[in-house]
Amino acid sequence: MELPLSGGGGMRRSASHTSLSESDDLDLSRLLNKPRINVERQRSFDDCSLSDVSYSGGHARGGGFDGMYSPGGGLRSLVGTPASSALHSFEPHPIVGDAWEALRRSLVFFRGQPLGTIAAFDHASEEVLNYDQVFVRDFVPSAMAFLMNGETDIVKNFLLKTLLLQGWEKKVDRFKLGEGAMPASFKVLHDSKKGVDTLHADFGESAIGRVAPVDSGFWWIILLRAYTKCTGDLSLSETPECQKGMRLILSLCLSEGFDTFPTLLCADGCCMIDRRMGVYGYPIEIQSLFFMALRCALLMLKHDAEGKEFVEKIATRLHALSYHMRSYFWLDFQQLNDIYRYKTEEYSHTAVNKFNVIPDSIPDWLFDFMPCQGGFFIGNVSPARMDFRWFALGNMIAILSSLATPEQSMAIMDLIEERWEELIGEMPLKICYPAIENHEWRIVTGCDPKNTRWSYHNGGSWPVLLWLLTAACIKTGRPQIARRAIDLAERRLLKDGWPEYYDGKLGRYVGKQARKFQTWSIAGYLVAKMMLEDPSHLGMISLEEDKAMKPVLKRSASWTN
Ligand code: GLC
C-alpha cells in the first residue's frame, strides 16, 4: 500500500502514489515544533540506581505507574558518541563502537530527517526481501537506544509519521481494514528526478500469508510512553493526534464480541513470530503487549469527553485480564501437577478444570523441563488447548508490565537460571522452547522450510531479545543473569556480523537464512549494555505493579470474580 501522507484535515484519501503535500509538511512541523522540554534529563525523585532496583520484597523504583516524568542519569551526547559508556566508569566493550556505527548506517531519512532504521543492512545477501523496510516492532530497540543516548527527535518523528500512516484508509483487495491498524512496516521511496520522498506502508497485505501486525499498535503506544517518560515532554502524547491514534488502536481491541475471556483473540503470526507457528488464538506475546499497552495508554489518555470512556474500559479490562493471565496462563511445578491430575468434563461453576484440558495433552518434555523452583506464562490457553511452550518475549513483557506478580516475576527468572542451557545456551535467547518437529512441524507450520526444528521462529535464538531480558533482570534485581547473557553475546555478535538469529539446540550456529547486520540485534545489544550501566533507563520500559489489581485467587473460586 503506497500512501501519500496527509495532515488529516478531516478528509481521507485512499491509497495511491502521491508525495507528501504542503499541508502534510505543515502538519508534521506543527507537531514537531512544539517546545521540547527536559531533553537534557536530570536526575529526579524517580531515579534509580542498580542498588535501588535490587529486589527486596518490593519492586524497582523508577518505573512508577504514577508519574510520567523521566528518570535521568544520561546526558545528551555529542553526535555519534554513545553517552552511556562515557558517563560511567565502565570500560566500554570494544564492540560497542562498532555497534553504534552499524546502527547509524541503518538510519532511514525522509525529507532529510531521520525517521527510523531498516530491518537489516546486509550487503552480502542477494535477496533483500523486505529487510530494507522500517518495521514498527524492529524499530523499538533502536528507539530505546536513541532515547537512552539523548537522541529523541528520531523517535518523535517515527511516532508522528506512523500515526499519519494509521490515518489512511487501508484496503486489502476489497476489504477495508480497521481504522486503528498500524503498519507492520514502511519504506521510504526516493524519486531522485522529482526530488520527492514517498512512503510505502505494509499493513500485512504484502507480507507472506497476509499476517495482521496486531503488535504494531501496542508497540506504538509503549514507545510513546517511553518517549514521554524519557524526555518529560508531555506535549507530544497530549496532542489531539496522538490521543486519537491511541483511541483508534484501543477501539480495535476493546470492542465487545462473543468472547468469554478478556484475552485478545488473534490470527496466527500476528506478532514477532510472523509466520504460521501455532500462535493463533490467545498467544502470550500479544496478551502481554496488550496488557502493557493498556497500562501505558491509561497513563497518557486525557480524561476528556472522548478519553474518559476508554479510561473506564481499560481499567475494567486490565482487572479481568490480569486475573485471567495470572490464574490460567501461569504454570509452575504445583500447577502442572494439578493439571496432570485434572478431571475432565466438569460442567458446573465449581469446575476446577475450567477449559476442559485433557491431561494426556501435556507434552512429555514438560515433566522434565519444569523445575521445582520456577515457573512461566505458557504460550496459549483456550478450550481444551494449552500450548505449554515457553515464549521469551511474552514472559519478559509480563515482568516489565507487572502483569506477572512479584512472585511470578522471580519464578520466571528462577526458571531461566534453572534451565540456562535450554533457554540461553550459547547465544541468548530462545524465542520459544522447545522446537516442534516431524509430524507436528508439518501440521503446525504447514511444512515451513524456514521454521524447521531449532531454527528461526521454531526454537531459534534471537539476540534482539537480550534487551528485554536485561530489563527484566534489572527489574527483578538479578543483573548478574543479564551480565552472563551479554558476555555470551559479546563473544560472537560482531565476529558473526550481527545475525538475525542463531540455530541449533544451544544456539551455536548462525541461522540458516539469518540476515547479517540485523538492526535489532545491534540495537538490542546496545540497549542491554546501556541499561546495565545506567539502570535508571529501566523506567522507560517498566511499569510498577498496580496495587489496585487484585492478587490471584484460587482457581476454583473464580467464577464470581
Ligand atoms: C522477520 C521476523 C519479524 C521481523 C522481521 C524484520 O519477519 O519474524 O519479527 O519484524 O523479520 O526483521
Side-chain angles (χ1 to χ4, degrees):
M1 217 169 272
E2 210 151 294
L3 305 168
L5 286 173
S6 158
M11 219 176 78
R12 286 175 170 269
R13 281 176 276 164
S14 51
S16 66
H17 298 237
T18 333
S19 65
L20 190 80
S21 71
E22 281 301 307
S23 62
D24 302 328
D25 248 351
L26 280 178
D27 208 68
L28 190 68
S29 51
R30 184 171 58 77
L31 292 171
L32 277 168
N33 285 339
K34 282 269 158 90
R36 287 172 42 172
I37 54 165
N38 195 34
V39 173
E40 307 283 327
R41 295 174 300 156
Q42 290 146 14
R43 283 191 79 81
S44 71
F45 70 95
D46 206 3
D47 287 356
C48 54
S49 68
L50 195 56
S51 54
D52 291 335
V53 295
S54 64
Y55 200 87
S56 51
H59 258 68
R61 290 201 283 127
F65 190 43
D66 35 346
M68 289 295 298
Y69 224 71
S70 166
L75 289 175
R76 221 169 136 66
S77 68
L78 299 170
V79 174
T81 310
S84 60
S85 302
L87 273 171
H88 303 276
S89 53
F90 293 84
E91 263 305 301
H93 193 278
I95 75 171
V96 166
D98 288 270
W100 272 105
E101 228 172 81
L103 180 61
R104 293 197 193 288
R105 259 205 313 273
S106 73
L107 280 173
V108 169
F109 291 83
F110 184 77
R111 295 209 147 188
Q113 304 252 13
L115 175 62
T117 47
I118 51 167
F121 194 88
D122 189 354
H123 280 320
S125 169
E126 326 78 65
E127 7 154 59
V128 178
L129 298 174
N130 54 357
Y131 285 87
D132 59 345
Q133 311 220 358
V134 180
F135 278 76
V136 170
R137 71 174 74 88
D138 292 42
F139 182 64
V140 175
S142 296
M144 291 295 165
F146 289 126
L147 287 176
M148 289 176 187
N149 202 38
E151 298 170 67
T152 57
D153 274 355
I154 179 175
V155 180
K156 186 174 190 170
N157 226 340
F158 171 89
L159 287 165
L160 288 170
K161 274 290 189 320
T162 39
L163 191 59
L164 291 177
L165 291 173
Q166 180 202 42
W168 284 92
E169 189 176 280
K170 300 158 287 244
K171 263 188 168 178
V172 177
D173 292 338
R174 296 176 184 181
F175 184 64
K176 198 169 149 225
L177 303 191
E179 229 188 315
M182 280 278 181
S185 62
F186 61 86
K187 193 174 173 169
V188 178
L189 301 170
H190 183 67
D191 184 334
S192 47
K193 276 198 198 128
K194 290 188 191 149
V196 283
D197 285 344
T198 329
L199 284 188
H200 171 101
D202 180 5
F203 291 85
E205 80 276 14
S206 56
I208 299 171
R210 295 211 159 154
V211 285
V214 177
D215 62 339
S216 285
F218 296 151
W219 280 121
W220 186 88
I221 292 176
I222 292 166
L223 191 56
L224 180 63
R225 187 251 170 195
Y227 171 88
T228 312
K229 179 89 181 164
C230 169
T231 60
D233 174 8
L234 297 171
S235 66
L236 180 65
S237 66
E238 285 181 353
T239 53
E241 290 81 359
C242 282
Q243 292 286 315
K244 184 174 174 204
M246 275 190 278
R247 288 198 306 268
L248 286 177
I249 296 168
L250 294 167
S251 23
L252 283 179
C253 46
L254 291 175
S255 57
E256 286 179 0
F258 289 102
D259 308 282
T260 50
F261 322 130
T263 34
L264 194 65
L265 182 63
C266 304
D268 213 340
C270 62
C271 48
M272 177 184 180
I273 297 179
D274 55 0
R275 297 163 82 98
R276 188 173 151 190
M277 261 296 289
V279 288
Y280 59 90
Y282 305 90
I284 180 67
E285 175 171 339
I286 289 293
Q287 311 314 320
S288 288
L289 287 172
F290 179 33
F291 183 86
M292 185 154 204
L294 287 181
R295 289 202 60 195
C296 290
L298 202 54
L299 290 168
M300 295 185 292
L301 275 176
K302 286 189 180 166
H303 291 221
D304 54 13
E306 288 158 307
K308 216 168 154 264
E309 180 199 336
F310 284 92
V311 168
E312 282 159 17
K313 275 190 179 171
I314 291 175
T316 319
R317 188 65 169 257
L318 279 173
H319 189 67
L321 185 58
S322 62
Y323 177 82
H324 184 91
M325 298 299 296
R326 291 170 180 182
S327 314
Y328 305 123
F329 273 65
W330 182 252
L331 193 75
D332 54 19
F333 183 82
Q334 186 56 52
Q335 187 65 19
L336 177 58
N337 210 153
D338 291 349
I339 298 172
Y340 176 67
R341 289 166 51 78
Y342 266 173
K343 290 201 278 288
T344 54
E345 318 297 330
E346 296 176 302
Y347 283 98
S348 93
H349 289 176
T350 55
V352 176
N353 182 2
K354 296 207 161 32
F355 300 90
N356 198 33
V357 173
I358 317 292
D360 262 359
S361 69
I362 303 173
D364 286 344
W365 63 266
L366 187 60
F367 293 105
D368 294 331
F369 178 77
M370 183 59 79
C372 294
Q373 199 180 329
F376 64 107
F377 289 101
I378 62 170
N380 220 312
V381 176
S382 58
R385 176 179 179 235
M386 291 179 100
D387 178 348
F388 292 98
R389 280 175 295 173
W390 151 269
F391 289 88
L393 197 150
N395 275 280
M396 296 303 104
I397 295 286
I399 294 178
L400 295 171
S401 62
S402 290
L403 169 60
T405 63
E407 294 73 26
Q408 287 172 336
S409 297
M410 291 309 266
I412 294 170
M413 300 316 292
D414 287 342
L415 177 88
I416 292 175
E417 278 198 311
E418 291 282 320
R419 295 290 173 258
W420 187 263
E421 190 156 296
E422 289 86 344
L423 303 181
I424 309 281
E426 294 184 20
M427 177 54 70
L429 136 101
K430 282 261 170 280
I431 192 168
C432 67
Y433 180 89
I436 41 181
E437 312 184 41
N438 306 319
H439 184 60
E440 198 185 4
W441 165 78
R442 277 192 282 277
I443 301 298
V444 173
T445 72
C447 302
D448 188 345
K450 222 177 157 180
N451 275 332
T452 49
R453 64 184 177 159
W454 306 113
S455 181
Y456 199 43
H457 299 139
N458 187 9
S461 303
W462 290 65
V464 58
L465 297 169
L466 199 54
W467 78 278
L468 290 169
L469 173 71
T470 304
C473 288
I474 296 173
K475 183 163 185 187
T476 50
R478 294 162 81 161
Q480 70 283 3
I481 297 182
R483 254 183 231 121
R484 239 179 112 188
I486 291 174
D487 252 17
L488 285 170
E490 276 173 343
R491 280 183 219 163
R492 299 279 308 266
L493 282 182
L494 177 67
K495 189 161 72 75
D496 294 340
W498 307 99
E500 181 186 15
Y501 62 95
Y502 286 76
D503 285 359
K505 264 193 180 169
L506 293 171
R508 179 179 290 173
Y509 298 92
V510 173
K512 225 181 342 189
Q513 294 190 40
R515 301 285 116 175
K516 295 288 184 77
F517 295 93
Q518 181 78 20
T519 306
W520 68 1
S521 300
I522 300 163
Y525 165 72
L526 284 174
V527 174
K529 285 294 271 190
M530 285 191 276
M531 264 191 301
L532 258 193
E533 290 178 14
D534 180 359
S536 71
H537 290 312
L538 177 68
M540 275 192 244
I541 189 66
S542 169
L543 296 164
E544 287 296 288
E545 194 182 19
D546 180 5
K547 297 284 182 291
M549 272 174 234
K550 274 198 204 153
V552 65
L553 299 174
K554 282 260 169 285
R555 293 163 84 78
S556 51
S558 72
W559 172 254
T560 49
N561 289 289

